[in-house]
Amino acid sequence: MSTKPVRVNDPTSDASVARVDMKFEIVVIPVSDVDRAKEFYGRLGWRLDADYDNGKDFRVIQFTPPGSGCSIIFGKNVTPAAPGSAQGLYLIVSDIQAARKALLDRGVEITEVFHDSAGVYAGTDEPYLFGRVRVSGPDAEHRSYRSFASFRDPDGNGWLFQEITTRLPGRIDPATTTFASANDLASAFRRAEAAHGQHEKRTGQRDANWPDWYAAYMVAEQAGGELPQ
């Protein structure tokens, strides 16, 4: 995911052109053993939405990760792609250490948290958005988009956690800011609490209007706007 703003000539910005919403909702995962894959994705704690089997030559299973608007499907005669060929599947989290621990607690093998080596794209590590040289540990400055951890399903389909707490400007509408889960909202509250503590230290007095300050901070952080001081 690029961290550089991109200018786009968007014809839908013309008020005379009606916008058509397009919700990206399904990614097809190629697997060799449907029941084994079902057990794995269920063990991740993902919601099982469907398991349809016509009893002959077709079966489709759908799972949805917690807080996600997009689901995965796999099964029998669902895709001609080679099992394990789905790579670079990103799961966005607000606390990468907590997300990694959740998988470890479920018995899922996952890498240590890593970050990029200054955008080196020719290296020995598996490629990801910021290069091919992985440096152990989270990004030193704890910047959004920059800390990762990766894991695979039994067929080798590759997933990555990417930690994002603040979106780049223009990628979230502050007027419609939402949080995908109670965990994301709780994490945002904790970050706002820490920032508000620094705010009270600077002002030297208790801020009785802290609810409004928290709200402004959480919306600005998610939308990539200027944070309140």
Side-chain angles (χ1 to χ4, degrees), residues 3 5 12 31 50 74 77 81 106 111 114 117 136 144 149 160 164 195 204 207 224:
T3 58
T12 63
V31 304
F74 55 84
N77 287 331
R106 293 175 179 273
T111 68
F114 63 88
S117 179
S136 180
S144 276
L160 293 101
I164 300 178
D207 178 15

PDB file of all heavy atoms in Angstrom, residues 3 5 12 31 50 74 77 81 106 111 114 117 136 144 149 160 164 195 204 207 224:
ATOM      1  N   THR A   3       2.383   4.902   0.417  1.00  0.00           N
ATOM      2  CA  THR A   3       2.186   5.959   1.414  1.00  0.00           C
ATOM      3  C   THR A   3       2.339   7.331   0.781  1.00  0.00           C
ATOM      4  O   THR A   3       2.452   8.328   1.472  1.00  0.00           O
ATOM      5  CB  THR A   3       3.192   5.806   2.564  1.00  0.00           C
ATOM      6  OG1 THR A   3       4.525   5.853   2.035  1.00  0.00           O
ATOM      7  CG2 THR A   3       2.972   4.493   3.283  1.00  0.00           C
ATOM      8  N   PRO A   5       0.746  10.349  -1.609  1.00  0.00           N
ATOM      9  CA  PRO A   5      -0.522  10.798  -2.175  1.00  0.00           C
ATOM     10  C   PRO A   5      -0.490  10.676  -3.690  1.00  0.00           C
ATOM     11  O   PRO A   5       0.535  10.889  -4.333  1.00  0.00           O
ATOM     12  CB  PRO A   5      -0.604  12.267  -1.730  1.00  0.00           C
ATOM     13  CG  PRO A   5       0.328  12.372  -0.569  1.00  0.00           C
ATOM     14  CD  PRO A   5       1.422  11.383  -0.836  1.00  0.00           C
ATOM     15  N   THR A  12     -15.821  10.727 -11.756  1.00  0.00           N
ATOM     16  CA  THR A  12     -16.973  10.705 -10.856  1.00  0.00           C
ATOM     17  C   THR A  12     -17.013  11.930  -9.961  1.00  0.00           C
ATOM     18  O   THR A  12     -17.976  12.146  -9.239  1.00  0.00           O
ATOM     19  CB  THR A  12     -16.950   9.444  -9.977  1.00  0.00           C
ATOM     20  OG1 THR A  12     -15.787   9.456  -9.145  1.00  0.00           O
ATOM     21  CG2 THR A  12     -16.943   8.188 -10.826  1.00  0.00           C
ATOM     22  N   VAL A  31      -7.044 -23.906  -3.044  1.00  0.00           N
ATOM     23  CA  VAL A  31      -6.573 -24.893  -2.061  1.00  0.00           C
ATOM     24  C   VAL A  31      -6.669 -26.297  -2.655  1.00  0.00           C
ATOM     25  O   VAL A  31      -7.439 -26.546  -3.590  1.00  0.00           O
ATOM     26  CB  VAL A  31      -7.388 -24.819  -0.747  1.00  0.00           C
ATOM     27  CG1 VAL A  31      -7.351 -23.416  -0.156  1.00  0.00           C
ATOM     28  CG2 VAL A  31      -8.831 -25.263  -0.971  1.00  0.00           C
ATOM     29  N   ALA A  50     -20.570 -19.761   4.885  1.00  0.00           N
ATOM     30  CA  ALA A  50     -21.264 -20.732   4.029  1.00  0.00           C
ATOM     31  C   ALA A  50     -20.394 -21.955   3.794  1.00  0.00           C
ATOM     32  O   ALA A  50     -19.165 -21.856   3.755  1.00  0.00           O
ATOM     33  CB  ALA A  50     -21.617 -20.087   2.687  1.00  0.00           C
ATOM     34  N   PHE A  74     -13.247 -20.606  -1.048  1.00  0.00           N
ATOM     35  CA  PHE A  74     -12.440 -21.670  -1.633  1.00  0.00           C
ATOM     36  C   PHE A  74     -13.320 -22.902  -1.702  1.00  0.00           C
ATOM     37  O   PHE A  74     -14.420 -22.937  -1.146  1.00  0.00           O
ATOM     38  CB  PHE A  74     -11.175 -21.939  -0.794  1.00  0.00           C
ATOM     39  CG  PHE A  74     -11.424 -22.237   0.656  1.00  0.00           C
ATOM     40  CD1 PHE A  74     -11.748 -23.518   1.096  1.00  0.00           C
ATOM     41  CD2 PHE A  74     -11.337 -21.220   1.607  1.00  0.00           C
ATOM     42  CE1 PHE A  74     -11.976 -23.782   2.441  1.00  0.00           C
ATOM     43  CE2 PHE A  74     -11.567 -21.483   2.947  1.00  0.00           C
ATOM     44  CZ  PHE A  74     -11.888 -22.771   3.369  1.00  0.00           C
ATOM     45  N   ASN A  77     -13.714 -27.073  -7.550  1.00  0.00           N
ATOM     46  CA  ASN A  77     -14.117 -26.493  -8.835  1.00  0.00           C
ATOM     47  C   ASN A  77     -14.556 -25.039  -8.690  1.00  0.00           C
ATOM     48  O   ASN A  77     -15.501 -24.585  -9.341  1.00  0.00           O
ATOM     49  CB  ASN A  77     -15.221 -27.322  -9.491  1.00  0.00           C
ATOM     50  CG  ASN A  77     -14.698 -28.629 -10.050  1.00  0.00           C
ATOM     51  OD1 ASN A  77     -13.525 -28.712 -10.446  1.00  0.00           O
ATOM     52  ND2 ASN A  77     -15.540 -29.653 -10.084  1.00  0.00           N
ATOM     53  N   ALA A  81      -6.852 -21.815 -10.511  1.00  0.00           N
ATOM     54  CA  ALA A  81      -5.524 -21.407 -10.037  1.00  0.00           C
ATOM     55  C   ALA A  81      -4.871 -22.521  -9.226  1.00  0.00           C
ATOM     56  O   ALA A  81      -5.550 -23.319  -8.568  1.00  0.00           O
ATOM     57  CB  ALA A  81      -5.645 -20.150  -9.190  1.00  0.00           C
ATOM     58  N   ARG A 106      -3.701 -19.461  18.961  1.00  0.00           N
ATOM     59  CA  ARG A 106      -4.538 -20.436  18.267  1.00  0.00           C
ATOM     60  C   ARG A 106      -3.700 -21.523  17.591  1.00  0.00           C
ATOM     61  O   ARG A 106      -4.223 -22.333  16.819  1.00  0.00           O
ATOM     62  CB  ARG A 106      -5.414 -19.726  17.231  1.00  0.00           C
ATOM     63  CG  ARG A 106      -6.465 -18.811  17.855  1.00  0.00           C
ATOM     64  CD  ARG A 106      -7.237 -18.043  16.784  1.00  0.00           C
ATOM     65  NE  ARG A 106      -8.267 -17.181  17.371  1.00  0.00           N
ATOM     66  CZ  ARG A 106      -9.489 -17.560  17.661  1.00  0.00           C
ATOM     67  NH1 ARG A 106      -9.861 -18.805  17.403  1.00  0.00           N
ATOM     68  NH2 ARG A 106     -10.355 -16.721  18.192  1.00  0.00           N
ATOM     69  N   THR A 111       5.432 -15.288  11.437  1.00  0.00           N
ATOM     70  CA  THR A 111       6.758 -14.706  11.589  1.00  0.00           C
ATOM     71  C   THR A 111       6.782 -13.707  12.739  1.00  0.00           C
ATOM     72  O   THR A 111       5.748 -13.274  13.243  1.00  0.00           O
ATOM     73  CB  THR A 111       7.198 -13.964  10.318  1.00  0.00           C
ATOM     74  OG1 THR A 111       6.371 -12.792  10.144  1.00  0.00           O
ATOM     75  CG2 THR A 111       7.105 -14.850   9.094  1.00  0.00           C
ATOM     76  N   PHE A 114       8.157  -7.511  11.503  1.00  0.00           N
ATOM     77  CA  PHE A 114       9.302  -6.977  10.772  1.00  0.00           C
ATOM     78  C   PHE A 114       8.931  -5.673  10.085  1.00  0.00           C
ATOM     79  O   PHE A 114       7.759  -5.312   9.976  1.00  0.00           O
ATOM     80  CB  PHE A 114       9.819  -7.998   9.746  1.00  0.00           C
ATOM     81  CG  PHE A 114       8.838  -8.357   8.666  1.00  0.00           C
ATOM     82  CD1 PHE A 114       8.745  -7.620   7.490  1.00  0.00           C
ATOM     83  CD2 PHE A 114       7.988  -9.460   8.813  1.00  0.00           C
ATOM     84  CE1 PHE A 114       7.839  -7.956   6.502  1.00  0.00           C
ATOM     85  CE2 PHE A 114       7.083  -9.809   7.821  1.00  0.00           C
ATOM     86  CZ  PHE A 114       7.009  -9.053   6.660  1.00  0.00           C
ATOM     87  N   SER A 117      13.778  -2.542   4.959  1.00  0.00           N
ATOM     88  CA  SER A 117      15.141  -2.028   4.998  1.00  0.00           C
ATOM     89  C   SER A 117      15.282  -0.919   3.965  1.00  0.00           C
ATOM     90  O   SER A 117      15.904  -1.093   2.912  1.00  0.00           O
ATOM     91  CB  SER A 117      16.144  -3.149   4.721  1.00  0.00           C
ATOM     92  OG  SER A 117      17.477  -2.650   4.731  1.00  0.00           O
ATOM     93  N   SER A 136      14.087  -7.305  11.410  1.00  0.00           N
ATOM     94  CA  SER A 136      13.337  -7.782  12.573  1.00  0.00           C
ATOM     95  C   SER A 136      12.852  -6.630  13.441  1.00  0.00           C
ATOM     96  O   SER A 136      13.551  -5.639  13.654  1.00  0.00           O
ATOM     97  CB  SER A 136      14.221  -8.719  13.403  1.00  0.00           C
ATOM     98  OG  SER A 136      13.516  -9.202  14.534  1.00  0.00           O
ATOM     99  N   SER A 144       2.473   4.259  10.634  1.00  0.00           N
ATOM    100  CA  SER A 144       1.456   3.459   9.979  1.00  0.00           C
ATOM    101  C   SER A 144       1.997   2.915   8.667  1.00  0.00           C
ATOM    102  O   SER A 144       2.868   3.537   8.037  1.00  0.00           O
ATOM    103  CB  SER A 144       0.214   4.309   9.696  1.00  0.00           C
ATOM    104  OG  SER A 144      -0.623   4.362  10.824  1.00  0.00           O
ATOM    105  N   ALA A 149       3.790  -8.708   9.692  1.00  0.00           N
ATOM    106  CA  ALA A 149       4.079 -10.083  10.102  1.00  0.00           C
ATOM    107  C   ALA A 149       3.372 -10.961   9.071  1.00  0.00           C
ATOM    108  O   ALA A 149       2.320 -10.591   8.550  1.00  0.00           O
ATOM    109  CB  ALA A 149       3.570 -10.384  11.503  1.00  0.00           C
ATOM    110  N   LEU A 160      -0.322 -11.431   5.036  1.00  0.00           N
ATOM    111  CA  LEU A 160       0.481 -10.503   5.837  1.00  0.00           C
ATOM    112  C   LEU A 160      -0.424  -9.631   6.691  1.00  0.00           C
ATOM    113  O   LEU A 160      -1.455  -9.141   6.217  1.00  0.00           O
ATOM    114  CB  LEU A 160       1.330  -9.583   4.955  1.00  0.00           C
ATOM    115  CG  LEU A 160       2.441 -10.223   4.144  1.00  0.00           C
ATOM    116  CD1 LEU A 160       1.983 -10.396   2.705  1.00  0.00           C
ATOM    117  CD2 LEU A 160       3.706  -9.382   4.192  1.00  0.00           C
ATOM    118  N   ILE A 164      -1.858  -0.412  10.605  1.00  0.00           N
ATOM    119  CA  ILE A 164      -2.235   0.949  10.204  1.00  0.00           C
ATOM    120  C   ILE A 164      -3.095   1.555  11.301  1.00  0.00           C
ATOM    121  O   ILE A 164      -4.131   0.996  11.663  1.00  0.00           O
ATOM    122  CB  ILE A 164      -3.015   0.960   8.876  1.00  0.00           C
ATOM    123  CG1 ILE A 164      -2.174   0.374   7.740  1.00  0.00           C
ATOM    124  CG2 ILE A 164      -3.443   2.385   8.526  1.00  0.00           C
ATOM    125  CD1 ILE A 164      -2.907   0.319   6.408  1.00  0.00           C
ATOM    126  N   ALA A 195      -2.433  10.374  24.190  1.00  0.00           N
ATOM    127  CA  ALA A 195      -2.205  11.695  23.615  1.00  0.00           C
ATOM    128  C   ALA A 195      -2.844  12.784  24.468  1.00  0.00           C
ATOM    129  O   ALA A 195      -2.276  13.872  24.647  1.00  0.00           O
ATOM    130  CB  ALA A 195      -2.756  11.749  22.192  1.00  0.00           C
ATOM    131  N   GLY A 204      -1.205  22.064  31.663  1.00  0.00           N
ATOM    132  CA  GLY A 204      -1.038  22.174  33.110  1.00  0.00           C
ATOM    133  C   GLY A 204      -2.342  22.148  33.877  1.00  0.00           C
ATOM    134  O   GLY A 204      -2.398  22.543  35.038  1.00  0.00           O
ATOM    135  N   ASP A 207      -8.536  18.670  31.663  1.00  0.00           N
ATOM    136  CA  ASP A 207      -9.433  19.041  30.574  1.00  0.00           C
ATOM    137  C   ASP A 207     -10.795  18.395  30.807  1.00  0.00           C
ATOM    138  O   ASP A 207     -10.984  17.203  30.582  1.00  0.00           O
ATOM    139  CB  ASP A 207      -8.835  18.580  29.238  1.00  0.00           C
ATOM    140  CG  ASP A 207      -9.739  18.897  28.057  1.00  0.00           C
ATOM    141  OD1 ASP A 207     -10.673  19.711  28.230  1.00  0.00           O
ATOM    142  OD2 ASP A 207      -9.506  18.331  26.976  1.00  0.00           O
ATOM    143  N   GLY A 224      -6.272  10.710   8.789  1.00  0.00           N
ATOM    144  CA  GLY A 224      -5.007  11.287   8.363  1.00  0.00           C
ATOM    145  C   GLY A 224      -4.984  12.795   8.432  1.00  0.00           C
ATOM    146  O   GLY A 224      -4.195  13.451   7.747  1.00  0.00           O
TER     147      GLY A 224
END
